[in-house]
Amino acid sequence: MADSRDKSDEAPVVARELAIVCLVAAVAGALIGFVGGAFRWCLLRADAARIDLLGWAHELPGPGWLIPMGVTAVCAAIAALIVRWVPFASGSGIQHVEAVSRGEVDPPQFRILPATLVGGVLSIGSGLVLGREGPIVHMGAVAGAETARRAGMNADHQRLLQTSVSGAGLAVAFNAPIGGALFVFEEVMHSFRLRTVVPVLVSVAVGVACSRLVVGDSPDFSVGPVDPPSITLLPAFVVFGLLTGVLGAAYNRAVMGSLSVVDALRSVPSVVKATAIGGAIGLLSAASPPATGGGDSLVQHVLSGGALAIPLVALYVALRFATGPLSYAAGTPGGLFAPLLALGALWGVLYAGICHAIVPGIDSSVAVPMAIVGMASMFSATVRAPVTGAVLVMEMTATTSITVPMLAAVAGAFAVAQLMGSSPIYDSLRERMLAQLHHPPRGD
């Protein structure tokens, strides 16, 4: 009797605590909704300005390519200076979110938010091959922790809120509420707990609603009707998934390898390294604009059925495979998801083109489905969160007609990457971050 009475007495307390947590999650969700929406709006304006600058530079007499090269180098240098002031603003930020969730580091401080916001606009907007999602996830985590801190909550609740609202950040970044929520459960926490599920859903719902007031409520990519591929083509998608697993594992190693090479240059200041990488990306941007930037416009072209010669697609795959890790090694704010999705879409088009040329019965109509499947499979192979990747891509493209081949390819990509011994990218980045905290690099 006493035990049942104790439990009945505890129930109102638990319910009241959950209500308070959800209220704080709603406030933090609104904050990241508006901040993340503003961040996306700034990146859209910066990308348009970059394209205009490239067009203007090409029309100038003499070495006009020096202008985009110089602009990207300067923006990368300023972003690197910001990171020197706030080291946790470097890179994606998702590894920091995961470390906080595991209790390995303290909840993030508010100064990370403005540093990531300004540094991200400079680095991503100037053409570095980085994604918007990492900074917005990080800013969402900061919003959650800071709101909890201002509400007088303890460190445990600050961790809970930073983890919960990080999902709202991903949802805002890609206008994908379900994918944002799943990201917290599958990638950050690796579990479903009632204590977290409700605040995650509240923050995601509020965050996406507020962001849509700023950037609209259309899917990230406009895709026409896609007919379900014939079941006879399922083996082609499975093989594609297996090959994508190899590509994803190689990409993870390229990212970590690039970071190791840059870290090894201890005598060179981080700002100088970021400037040099920015200059190289700016030079490439002058020669081939689609090879740089987050890649959204290139993906939209592909998903709209736009024609690209197979040799050109192969070139873009090679260039973006190299420039993504190189850009991330600059150490400026910027994520990995968006470049991964662009690489996956291009890889899908390339695979479809090769199959069309050598496999009877496969025509060019499979290019768009393969590009969409490539986005989810590449995500699965690198991040190792297959359900989140599949749902995220379905929300971004508003396409569900290719769910069966997508799941088959995603499973194949996941399995091959695991068998190759490739660690999930954010596990590797988190371990690197913790190692640097315990043994700071000398130089700067």
PDB file of all heavy atoms in Angstrom, residues 57-58 62-70 282-283 286-287:
ATOM      1  N   ALA A  57      32.905  38.831 -62.207  1.00  0.00           N
ATOM      2  CA  ALA A  57      34.338  38.621 -62.310  1.00  0.00           C
ATOM      3  C   ALA A  57      34.732  38.036 -63.659  1.00  0.00           C
ATOM      4  O   ALA A  57      35.783  38.378 -64.218  1.00  0.00           O
ATOM      5  CB  ALA A  57      34.810  37.699 -61.180  1.00  0.00           C
ATOM      6  N   HIS A  58      33.882  37.164 -64.208  1.00  0.00           N
ATOM      7  CA  HIS A  58      34.184  36.567 -65.512  1.00  0.00           C
ATOM      8  C   HIS A  58      34.164  37.606 -66.635  1.00  0.00           C
ATOM      9  O   HIS A  58      34.835  37.439 -67.654  1.00  0.00           O
ATOM     10  CB  HIS A  58      33.169  35.458 -65.828  1.00  0.00           C
ATOM     11  CG  HIS A  58      33.520  34.139 -65.214  1.00  0.00           C
ATOM     12  ND1 HIS A  58      34.685  33.452 -65.505  1.00  0.00           N
ATOM     13  CD2 HIS A  58      32.856  33.368 -64.310  1.00  0.00           C
ATOM     14  CE1 HIS A  58      34.732  32.331 -64.819  1.00  0.00           C
ATOM     15  NE2 HIS A  58      33.631  32.251 -64.072  1.00  0.00           N
ATOM     16  N   GLY A  62      41.380  40.785 -67.761  1.00  0.00           N
ATOM     17  CA  GLY A  62      42.466  40.372 -66.881  1.00  0.00           C
ATOM     18  C   GLY A  62      42.070  39.207 -65.993  1.00  0.00           C
ATOM     19  O   GLY A  62      41.072  38.521 -66.244  1.00  0.00           O
ATOM     20  N   PRO A  63      42.834  38.970 -64.955  1.00  0.00           N
ATOM     21  CA  PRO A  63      42.598  37.802 -64.076  1.00  0.00           C
ATOM     22  C   PRO A  63      41.432  38.028 -63.115  1.00  0.00           C
ATOM     23  O   PRO A  63      41.615  38.211 -61.898  1.00  0.00           O
ATOM     24  CB  PRO A  63      43.926  37.654 -63.330  1.00  0.00           C
ATOM     25  CG  PRO A  63      44.464  39.049 -63.267  1.00  0.00           C
ATOM     26  CD  PRO A  63      44.028  39.730 -64.533  1.00  0.00           C
ATOM     27  N   GLY A  64      40.215  37.992 -63.652  1.00  0.00           N
ATOM     28  CA  GLY A  64      39.039  38.188 -62.811  1.00  0.00           C
ATOM     29  C   GLY A  64      38.875  37.114 -61.757  1.00  0.00           C
ATOM     30  O   GLY A  64      38.218  37.335 -60.738  1.00  0.00           O
ATOM     31  N   TRP A  65      39.483  35.943 -61.974  1.00  0.00           N
ATOM     32  CA  TRP A  65      39.363  34.845 -61.014  1.00  0.00           C
ATOM     33  C   TRP A  65      39.973  35.186 -59.655  1.00  0.00           C
ATOM     34  O   TRP A  65      39.684  34.530 -58.647  1.00  0.00           O
ATOM     35  CB  TRP A  65      40.024  33.586 -61.561  1.00  0.00           C
ATOM     36  CG  TRP A  65      41.407  33.798 -62.109  1.00  0.00           C
ATOM     37  CD1 TRP A  65      41.745  34.072 -63.404  1.00  0.00           C
ATOM     38  CD2 TRP A  65      42.637  33.767 -61.369  1.00  0.00           C
ATOM     39  NE1 TRP A  65      43.111  34.214 -63.537  1.00  0.00           N
ATOM     40  CE2 TRP A  65      43.680  34.025 -62.296  1.00  0.00           C
ATOM     41  CE3 TRP A  65      42.965  33.540 -60.045  1.00  0.00           C
ATOM     42  CZ2 TRP A  65      45.017  34.074 -61.916  1.00  0.00           C
ATOM     43  CZ3 TRP A  65      44.305  33.583 -59.659  1.00  0.00           C
ATOM     44  CH2 TRP A  65      45.312  33.848 -60.596  1.00  0.00           C
ATOM     45  N   LEU A  66      40.830  36.235 -59.611  1.00  0.00           N
ATOM     46  CA  LEU A  66      41.421  36.628 -58.340  1.00  0.00           C
ATOM     47  C   LEU A  66      40.374  37.155 -57.363  1.00  0.00           C
ATOM     48  O   LEU A  66      40.554  37.070 -56.141  1.00  0.00           O
ATOM     49  CB  LEU A  66      42.480  37.707 -58.574  1.00  0.00           C
ATOM     50  CG  LEU A  66      43.803  37.238 -59.189  1.00  0.00           C
ATOM     51  CD1 LEU A  66      44.679  38.432 -59.525  1.00  0.00           C
ATOM     52  CD2 LEU A  66      44.526  36.287 -58.236  1.00  0.00           C
ATOM     53  N   ILE A  67      39.255  37.678 -57.897  1.00  0.00           N
ATOM     54  CA  ILE A  67      38.239  38.266 -57.018  1.00  0.00           C
ATOM     55  C   ILE A  67      37.525  37.198 -56.192  1.00  0.00           C
ATOM     56  O   ILE A  67      37.508  37.287 -54.950  1.00  0.00           O
ATOM     57  CB  ILE A  67      37.246  39.121 -57.837  1.00  0.00           C
ATOM     58  CG1 ILE A  67      37.990  40.324 -58.435  1.00  0.00           C
ATOM     59  CG2 ILE A  67      36.075  39.579 -56.973  1.00  0.00           C
ATOM     60  CD1 ILE A  67      37.154  41.180 -59.348  1.00  0.00           C
ATOM     61  N   PRO A  68      36.903  36.176 -56.828  1.00  0.00           N
ATOM     62  CA  PRO A  68      36.276  35.144 -55.975  1.00  0.00           C
ATOM     63  C   PRO A  68      37.287  34.402 -55.108  1.00  0.00           C
ATOM     64  O   PRO A  68      36.972  34.004 -53.989  1.00  0.00           O
ATOM     65  CB  PRO A  68      35.618  34.199 -56.994  1.00  0.00           C
ATOM     66  CG  PRO A  68      36.267  34.486 -58.298  1.00  0.00           C
ATOM     67  CD  PRO A  68      36.651  35.930 -58.248  1.00  0.00           C
ATOM     68  N   MET A  69      38.485  34.246 -55.616  1.00  0.00           N
ATOM     69  CA  MET A  69      39.536  33.584 -54.824  1.00  0.00           C
ATOM     70  C   MET A  69      39.828  34.406 -53.568  1.00  0.00           C
ATOM     71  O   MET A  69      39.903  33.864 -52.449  1.00  0.00           O
ATOM     72  CB  MET A  69      40.800  33.452 -55.674  1.00  0.00           C
ATOM     73  CG  MET A  69      41.958  32.779 -54.967  1.00  0.00           C
ATOM     74  SD  MET A  69      43.395  32.669 -56.076  1.00  0.00           S
ATOM     75  CE  MET A  69      44.617  31.973 -54.959  1.00  0.00           C
ATOM     76  N   GLY A  70      39.963  35.710 -53.733  1.00  0.00           N
ATOM     77  CA  GLY A  70      40.259  36.582 -52.603  1.00  0.00           C
ATOM     78  C   GLY A  70      39.098  36.687 -51.628  1.00  0.00           C
ATOM     79  O   GLY A  70      39.293  36.669 -50.402  1.00  0.00           O
ATOM     80  N   GLY A 282      37.914  29.114 -53.589  1.00  0.00           N
ATOM     81  CA  GLY A 282      37.489  30.267 -54.382  1.00  0.00           C
ATOM     82  C   GLY A 282      37.981  30.182 -55.815  1.00  0.00           C
ATOM     83  O   GLY A 282      37.264  30.539 -56.756  1.00  0.00           O
ATOM     84  N   LEU A 283      39.207  29.694 -55.997  1.00  0.00           N
ATOM     85  CA  LEU A 283      39.756  29.526 -57.342  1.00  0.00           C
ATOM     86  C   LEU A 283      38.949  28.490 -58.121  1.00  0.00           C
ATOM     87  O   LEU A 283      38.620  28.682 -59.295  1.00  0.00           O
ATOM     88  CB  LEU A 283      41.220  29.107 -57.252  1.00  0.00           C
ATOM     89  CG  LEU A 283      41.953  28.862 -58.575  1.00  0.00           C
ATOM     90  CD1 LEU A 283      41.961  30.125 -59.430  1.00  0.00           C
ATOM     91  CD2 LEU A 283      43.376  28.383 -58.310  1.00  0.00           C
ATOM     92  N   ALA A 286      35.664  29.894 -59.260  1.00  0.00           N
ATOM     93  CA  ALA A 286      35.750  30.715 -60.467  1.00  0.00           C
ATOM     94  C   ALA A 286      35.768  29.857 -61.724  1.00  0.00           C
ATOM     95  O   ALA A 286      35.214  30.240 -62.759  1.00  0.00           O
ATOM     96  CB  ALA A 286      37.001  31.585 -60.408  1.00  0.00           C
ATOM     97  N   ALA A 287      36.374  28.673 -61.626  1.00  0.00           N
ATOM     98  CA  ALA A 287      36.467  27.790 -62.791  1.00  0.00           C
ATOM     99  C   ALA A 287      35.208  26.953 -62.973  1.00  0.00           C
ATOM    100  O   ALA A 287      34.778  26.698 -64.098  1.00  0.00           O
ATOM    101  CB  ALA A 287      37.682  26.874 -62.650  1.00  0.00           C
TER     102      ALA A 287
END
